[in-house]
Amino acid sequence: MKFRDCETCMVYGTDNKPLSRARVETDAKDKVTLYFNNYKLRSVRFKTFVDFYDMQQGLMRARCELVIRKNVNKDMAEPWMADVKVLEVADVFQRQKDLRVRVNISTSFTTDDGRFFSGTIKNISAGGIFLVTSQALQPETRFSFSYRFDGEPCKATARVLRARGATAGGFGYGCQFVRLLPETEATIRKFVFAKQVENQKNPERRL
Protein backbone atom coordinates (compact mmCIF):
# COMPACT_ATOMS: atom_id res chain seq x y z
CA MET A 1 0.00 0.00 0.00
CA LYS A 2 1.43 3.34 -1.07
CA PHE A 3 0.32 6.64 0.41
CA ARG A 4 0.35 9.98 -1.39
CA ASP A 5 -0.42 12.39 1.45
CA CYS A 6 -1.13 10.58 4.72
CA GLU A 7 -0.24 12.04 8.11
CA THR A 8 -2.82 10.59 10.50
CA CYS A 9 -4.72 7.38 11.14
CA MET A 10 -7.11 5.71 13.58
CA VAL A 11 -6.09 2.39 15.12
CA TYR A 12 -8.82 0.01 16.27
CA GLY A 13 -8.59 -2.46 19.12
CA THR A 14 -9.29 -6.17 18.93
CA ASP A 15 -12.88 -5.33 19.94
CA ASN A 16 -13.22 -3.24 16.71
CA LYS A 17 -13.61 -0.05 18.75
CA PRO A 18 -11.32 2.98 18.21
CA LEU A 19 -8.17 2.53 20.28
CA SER A 20 -6.07 5.60 19.48
CA ARG A 21 -5.20 8.15 16.83
CA ALA A 22 -1.64 8.15 15.56
CA ARG A 23 0.74 10.15 13.41
CA VAL A 24 1.87 8.35 10.26
CA GLU A 25 5.37 8.34 8.81
CA THR A 26 6.51 6.50 5.69
CA ASP A 27 10.02 6.14 4.30
CA ALA A 28 11.34 5.79 0.76
CA LYS A 29 10.61 2.05 0.83
CA ASP A 30 6.99 2.64 1.95
CA LYS A 31 7.67 1.32 5.43
CA VAL A 32 4.90 2.60 7.73
CA THR A 33 5.57 3.70 11.31
CA LEU A 34 2.97 5.11 13.73
CA TYR A 35 3.54 7.49 16.64
CA PHE A 36 1.07 7.82 19.53
CA ASN A 37 0.43 10.67 21.97
CA ASN A 38 -1.67 8.24 24.01
CA TYR A 39 0.11 7.38 27.29
CA LYS A 40 -2.26 4.47 28.08
CA LEU A 41 -0.84 2.03 25.55
CA ARG A 42 1.40 -0.95 26.27
CA SER A 43 3.93 -3.06 24.41
CA VAL A 44 2.00 -5.58 22.33
CA ARG A 45 1.86 -7.30 18.95
CA PHE A 46 -1.60 -7.77 17.44
CA LYS A 47 -3.61 -7.75 14.22
CA THR A 48 -6.31 -5.14 13.73
CA PHE A 49 -7.85 -2.61 11.34
CA VAL A 50 -6.35 0.82 10.77
CA ASP A 51 -8.08 3.73 8.99
CA PHE A 52 -5.48 5.79 7.13
CA TYR A 53 -6.57 9.32 6.14
CA ASP A 54 -4.85 10.06 2.83
CA MET A 55 -5.69 13.59 1.68
CA GLN A 56 -5.39 12.62 -1.99
CA GLN A 57 -6.74 9.09 -2.05
CA GLY A 58 -9.35 9.28 0.71
CA LEU A 59 -10.01 6.90 3.58
CA MET A 60 -8.03 3.68 3.26
CA ARG A 61 -8.96 0.89 5.68
CA ALA A 62 -6.36 -1.86 6.00
CA ARG A 63 -5.90 -4.96 8.10
CA CYS A 64 -2.48 -4.66 9.70
CA GLU A 65 -0.12 -6.33 12.12
CA LEU A 66 1.13 -3.79 14.68
CA VAL A 67 4.05 -4.04 17.05
CA ILE A 68 3.58 -1.30 19.63
CA ARG A 69 6.64 -0.37 21.67
CA LYS A 70 8.15 2.48 23.67
CA ASN A 71 9.49 5.36 21.63
CA VAL A 72 13.09 5.77 22.79
CA ASN A 73 13.73 8.81 20.58
CA LYS A 74 13.95 11.63 23.12
CA ASP A 75 13.54 14.25 20.38
CA MET A 76 9.94 13.13 19.82
CA ALA A 77 7.02 13.98 22.07
CA GLU A 78 5.08 10.77 21.39
CA PRO A 79 5.70 8.15 24.11
CA TRP A 80 4.68 5.14 21.99
CA MET A 81 5.31 4.00 18.43
CA ALA A 82 4.36 1.03 16.27
CA ASP A 83 5.90 -0.85 13.38
CA VAL A 84 3.21 -1.65 10.81
CA LYS A 85 2.87 -4.56 8.41
CA VAL A 86 -0.05 -4.09 6.03
CA LEU A 87 -1.71 -7.48 5.48
CA GLU A 88 -4.50 -6.39 3.14
CA VAL A 89 -6.43 -3.29 2.06
CA ALA A 90 -10.04 -3.84 3.05
CA ASP A 91 -11.71 -0.67 1.67
CA VAL A 92 -10.84 2.55 -0.11
CA PHE A 93 -13.41 5.35 0.04
CA GLN A 94 -12.29 7.59 -2.80
CA ARG A 95 -11.82 11.29 -2.17
CA GLN A 96 -11.67 12.41 -5.80
CA LYS A 97 -15.15 11.11 -6.66
CA ASP A 98 -17.16 11.53 -3.48
CA LEU A 99 -20.28 9.44 -3.24
CA ARG A 100 -23.45 11.42 -2.63
CA VAL A 101 -26.62 9.90 -1.18
CA ARG A 102 -30.10 11.17 -0.45
CA VAL A 103 -31.03 11.61 3.20
CA ASN A 104 -33.64 13.46 5.22
CA ILE A 105 -31.76 14.79 8.26
CA SER A 106 -33.53 17.58 10.16
CA THR A 107 -31.35 19.43 12.64
CA SER A 108 -30.32 22.89 13.84
CA PHE A 109 -27.49 25.06 12.55
CA THR A 110 -25.47 28.01 13.89
CA THR A 111 -23.87 30.67 11.70
CA ASP A 112 -20.46 32.15 12.49
CA ASP A 113 -22.15 35.31 13.80
CA GLY A 114 -24.30 33.33 16.26
CA ARG A 115 -27.62 33.05 14.42
CA PHE A 116 -29.57 29.83 14.93
CA PHE A 117 -31.81 28.29 12.30
CA SER A 118 -33.33 24.91 11.49
CA GLY A 119 -33.21 23.01 8.24
CA THR A 120 -33.08 19.63 6.53
CA ILE A 121 -30.11 18.01 4.84
CA LYS A 122 -31.42 16.41 1.65
CA ASN A 123 -28.21 14.84 0.39
CA ILE A 124 -24.71 14.44 1.71
CA SER A 125 -21.22 13.43 0.62
CA ALA A 126 -17.81 13.67 2.24
CA GLY A 127 -17.47 16.98 0.39
CA GLY A 128 -20.66 18.74 1.43
CA ILE A 129 -24.45 18.82 1.76
CA PHE A 130 -27.58 20.10 0.04
CA LEU A 131 -29.55 22.03 2.67
CA VAL A 132 -33.19 23.10 2.61
CA THR A 133 -34.20 25.80 5.10
CA SER A 134 -36.62 28.71 5.45
CA GLN A 135 -33.64 30.86 6.50
CA ALA A 136 -32.28 33.12 3.74
CA LEU A 137 -28.50 32.60 3.45
CA GLN A 138 -25.93 34.48 1.43
CA PRO A 139 -23.12 32.83 -0.56
CA GLU A 140 -20.03 32.20 1.60
CA THR A 141 -22.11 32.14 4.80
CA ARG A 142 -20.52 29.68 7.20
CA PHE A 143 -22.45 27.57 9.68
CA SER A 144 -21.87 24.56 11.92
CA PHE A 145 -24.03 21.66 13.05
CA SER A 146 -23.77 18.49 15.11
CA TYR A 147 -25.24 15.12 14.24
CA ARG A 148 -24.77 11.47 15.22
CA PHE A 149 -23.99 9.54 12.06
CA ASP A 150 -24.91 5.94 12.90
CA GLY A 151 -24.19 6.58 16.58
CA GLU A 152 -20.93 8.48 16.09
CA PRO A 153 -21.24 12.16 17.14
CA CYS A 154 -19.78 14.65 14.68
CA LYS A 155 -19.49 18.41 14.46
CA ALA A 156 -19.00 19.93 11.04
CA THR A 157 -18.67 23.39 9.50
CA ALA A 158 -19.81 24.22 5.98
CA ARG A 159 -20.11 27.25 3.73
CA VAL A 160 -22.81 28.15 1.22
CA LEU A 161 -21.56 27.80 -2.34
CA ARG A 162 -24.75 28.54 -4.24
CA ALA A 163 -28.50 28.99 -3.84
CA ARG A 164 -30.75 26.65 -5.82
CA GLY A 165 -33.93 28.72 -5.48
CA ALA A 166 -37.19 28.04 -3.66
CA THR A 167 -38.08 24.43 -2.88
CA ALA A 168 -40.69 22.69 -0.77
CA GLY A 169 -39.88 23.72 2.79
CA GLY A 170 -37.82 26.81 1.95
CA PHE A 171 -34.68 27.63 0.00
CA GLY A 172 -32.15 25.10 -1.27
CA TYR A 173 -28.41 25.61 -0.84
CA GLY A 174 -25.43 23.67 -2.09
CA CYS A 175 -22.83 23.75 0.71
CA GLN A 176 -19.22 22.63 1.03
CA PHE A 177 -17.61 21.27 4.19
CA VAL A 178 -14.79 23.40 5.60
CA ARG A 179 -11.72 21.93 7.29
CA LEU A 180 -13.25 18.66 8.44
CA LEU A 181 -11.24 16.79 11.05
CA PRO A 182 -9.91 13.55 9.55
CA GLU A 183 -12.01 11.41 11.91
CA THR A 184 -15.15 13.42 11.06
CA GLU A 185 -14.55 13.02 7.34
CA ALA A 186 -13.99 9.31 7.85
CA THR A 187 -17.23 8.94 9.81
CA ILE A 188 -19.26 10.82 7.18
CA ARG A 189 -17.60 8.88 4.36
CA LYS A 190 -18.45 5.54 6.00
CA PHE A 191 -22.02 6.73 6.66
CA VAL A 192 -22.44 7.70 2.99
CA PHE A 193 -20.95 4.43 1.78
CA ALA A 194 -23.23 2.40 4.06
CA LYS A 195 -26.28 4.33 2.82
CA GLN A 196 -25.33 3.68 -0.79
CA VAL A 197 -24.97 -0.05 -0.14
CA GLU A 198 -28.33 -0.04 1.66
CA ASN A 199 -29.99 1.73 -1.27
CA GLN A 200 -28.52 -0.71 -3.77
CA LYS A 201 -29.86 -3.65 -1.79
CA ASN A 202 -33.25 -2.04 -1.08
CA PRO A 203 -34.08 0.35 -3.95
CA GLU A 204 -37.62 0.82 -2.66
CA ARG A 205 -36.19 2.56 0.43
CA ARG A 206 -34.56 5.35 -1.54
CA LEU A 207 -35.88 8.77 -0.65
Side-chain angles (χ1 to χ4, degrees):
M1 182 170 66
K2 188 171 184 177
F3 297 119
R4 295 179 183 174
D5 185 8
C6 182
E7 296 182 351
T8 61
C9 71
M10 174 63 74
V11 177
Y12 291 82
T14 54
D15 58 358
N16 291 324
K17 294 181 179 180
L19 176 66
S20 180
R21 288 185 63 187
R23 181 171 62 86
V24 179
E25 281 193 1
T26 56
D27 63 14
K29 296 182 179 180
D30 296 326
K31 178 185 176 182
V32 181
T33 307
L34 308 183
Y35 295 91
F36 301 86
N37 272 319
N38 190 337
Y39 283 85
K40 297 181 180 180
L41 300 179
R42 59 186 177 88
S43 297
V44 65
R45 178 194 295 266
F46 68 112
K47 295 178 181 179
T48 188
F49 284 102
V50 180
D51 285 347
F52 294 96
Y53 308 125
D54 190 292
M55 297 305 292
Q56 293 188 42
Q57 300 181 92
L59 169 65
M60 305 174 71
R61 170 165 289 186
R63 182 164 178 77
C64 303
E65 182 178 61
L66 270 62
V67 179
I68 298 179
R69 54 191 172 86
K70 285 280 190 179
N71 184 4
V72 296
N73 188 336
K74 296 181 180 180
D75 294 330
M76 292 185 176
E78 297 99 338
W80 293 93
M81 61 184 296
D83 299 318
V84 180
K85 180 180 180 181
V86 177
L87 303 176
E88 63 174 336
V89 177
D91 290 297
V92 178
F93 303 113
Q94 294 289 340
R95 183 182 183 87
Q96 295 92 334
K97 297 181 179 179
D98 282 326
L99 301 173
R100 183 177 296 274
V101 293
R102 294 180 181 180
V103 292
N104 194 39
I105 298 173
S106 296
T107 187
S108 58
F109 305 84
T110 308
T111 63
D112 279 358
D113 59 5
R115 289 182 293 144
F116 294 89
F117 65 94
S118 59
T120 302
I121 298 172
K122 289 296 187 179
N123 65 46
I124 185 171
S125 73
I129 61 174
F130 181 70
L131 171 65
V132 174
T133 175
S134 59
Q135 176 70 46
L137 300 172
Q138 298 298 318
E140 299 301 322
T141 298
R142 292 195 180 196
F143 58 85
S144 60
F145 69 96
S146 297
Y147 187 75
R148 298 183 72 89
F149 291 97
D150 285 346
E152 297 188 53
C154 292
K155 183 175 181 179
T157 299
R159 66 186 180 98
V160 176
L161 290 181
R162 64 188 67 87
R164 299 285 182 86
T167 65
F171 303 97
Y173 300 96
C175 307
Q176 180 185 52
F177 287 128
V178 178
R179 295 181 180 178
L180 283 182
L181 293 174
E183 57 266 35
T184 301
E185 179 179 342
T187 297
I188 293 175
R189 196 177 294 280
K190 287 185 283 186
F191 171 80
V192 170
F193 182 77
K195 283 291 184 183
Q196 187 198 46
V197 171
E198 178 184 322
N199 289 343
Q200 289 174 342
K201 292 180 178 179
N202 303 284
E204 70 279 1
R205 295 184 183 179
R206 295 178 185 175
L207 299 176

